[in-house]
Amino acid sequence: MPYDEDHAEPLTEPDTPNATKFYGYDASAQYDSTHRLDGTEKVSDHYSRLAAYNTGIRNGKWGDNEILRQQDNLALFDAIASQLELTHYQHSRGRQAFSDLDLSELSTPGGIDATLCAVMVAAVVAREDGRMYHPSRDENTNDGQFVALLSDLGYSEHLLHSCYGKVLNRVHL
């Protein structure tokens, strides 16, 4: 079941059959960091590590880089969607479209990156509801939030056109 930001995360359902049990008194305990067997200084670090084991993200010293990269990319899209004030519907559609993209096909050295792709996916999704952004349009006719964000990010006009075209051809809503 995917996580829904509008509802509280269920605390009674474990992620996996071997889920870590949380004991409330651990949060207020004052552990001596030199005597922690797992090497962590805080109880929250300990439980974060156990959560990573239980969800399959980490296995001892190694991590599943594909899952970690996907989580980072989706967090990036969430930040962009928040900055652009997308509706809940636009956000969920854009998040799905962004996760379906193969960013390695789109990226170029020193050019198109995940941030720019996230903004362009948001532009394609928001277009359905009348919020228009296109690199060829005049700044006065484009959505102001897109223009402001992209001017802050400092991408070249050529790069904006290139990325918008690539994303538009690959995103199927």
Side-chain angles (χ1 to χ4, degrees), residues 56-59 62-69:
I57 294 172
R58 294 227 176 262
N59 180 9
W62 306 101
D64 188 340
N65 290 334
E66 186 175 332
I67 292 175
L68 291 170
R69 186 177 310 110

Side-chain angles (χ1 to χ4, degrees), residues 84 119 132-134 137-154 160:
L84 295 171
V119 174
M132 300 301 230
Y133 174 80
H134 192 283
R137 293 176 62 155
D138 185 27
E139 282 189 13
N140 298 332
T141 59
N142 273 330
D143 186 272
Q145 290 176 325
F146 283 96
V147 171
L149 178 61
L150 287 169
S151 67
D152 287 346
L153 294 174
L160 295 175

Side-chain angles (χ1 to χ4, degrees), residues 146-165:
F146 283 96
V147 171
L149 178 61
L150 287 169
S151 67
D152 287 346
L153 294 174
Y155 293 107
S156 69
E157 287 294 321
H158 172 73
L159 207 57
L160 295 175
H161 285 278
S162 175
C163 186
Y164 187 82

